[in-house]
Amino acid sequence: MVSKQFKELWVELPNGQSMCALLNGDLGWLMHCDRTGDVSYHSIAPDFSGPADRQIDYCLNNGQHDSYPAAWALPSSGIYRAIDYFEHEQQRPPFIEWSDD
């Protein structure tokens, strides 16, 4: 069972785009996939100043545990705002910094 500390959220649009948010408490990161599924982007924390190898643990809905760079993590309030924007505007939120994978 996944703890309430962890959340995995997905928004899939009719045009083929999707966005995923993984959260661990008050931090999380975003992944955006384009219409083809060939290109994906992940969030960047513009003010991150910690060690480059620092990781944050996340737990997916299926119970799988993964770690991702802390340099990708944003406050959960920004994650929820971005998910809402994506769902309504049907495009990557421009207020999030993105890097292509």
Side-chain angles (χ1 to χ4, degrees), residues 3-11 19-31 43 58 61 73-89 91 93 95-96 98:
S3 159
K4 291 186 187 265
Q5 171 183 346
F6 299 105
K7 289 185 180 155
E8 176 184 1
L9 306 171
W10 280 93
V11 175
M19 185 171 286
C20 175
L22 293 180
L23 293 117
N24 177 342
D26 292 336
L27 293 174
W29 71 279
L30 296 160
M31 177 181 63
S43 56
Y58 298 93
N61 290 341
L74 304 169
S76 60
S77 60
I79 298 292
Y80 289 117
R81 179 177 169 225
I83 288 287
D84 185 61
Y85 179 93
F86 178 71
E87 190 168 25
H88 290 93
E89 301 299 325
Q91 62 182 346
F95 51 85
I96 299 292
W98 298 95

Side-chain angles (χ1 to χ4, degrees), residues 2 17-18 21 24 30 33 37-38 46 50 52 55-56 58 62-63 68 72 74-75 79 81-82 84 86 96 99 101:
V2 177
Q17 294 184 79
S18 62
N24 177 342
L30 296 160
C33 296
D38 291 339
Q55 301 277 306
I56 296 176
Y58 298 93
N62 67 4
Y68 293 95
W72 297 5
L74 304 169
I79 298 292
R81 179 177 169 225
D84 185 61
F86 178 71
I96 299 292
S99 177
D101 290 332

Side-chain angles (χ1 to χ4, degrees), residues 22-74:
L22 293 180
L23 293 117
N24 177 342
D26 292 336
L27 293 174
W29 71 279
L30 296 160
M31 177 181 63
H32 172 261
C33 296
D34 72 1
R35 290 171 180 86
T36 66
D38 291 339
V39 179
S40 66
Y41 302 85
H42 63 79
S43 56
I44 296 286
D47 298 327
F48 179 75
S49 62
D53 62 348
R54 182 171 168 229
Q55 301 277 306
I56 296 176
D57 294 328
Y58 298 93
C59 185
L60 283 62
N61 290 341
N62 67 4
Q64 177 180 323
H65 288 263
D66 288 331
S67 295
Y68 293 95
W72 297 5
L74 304 169

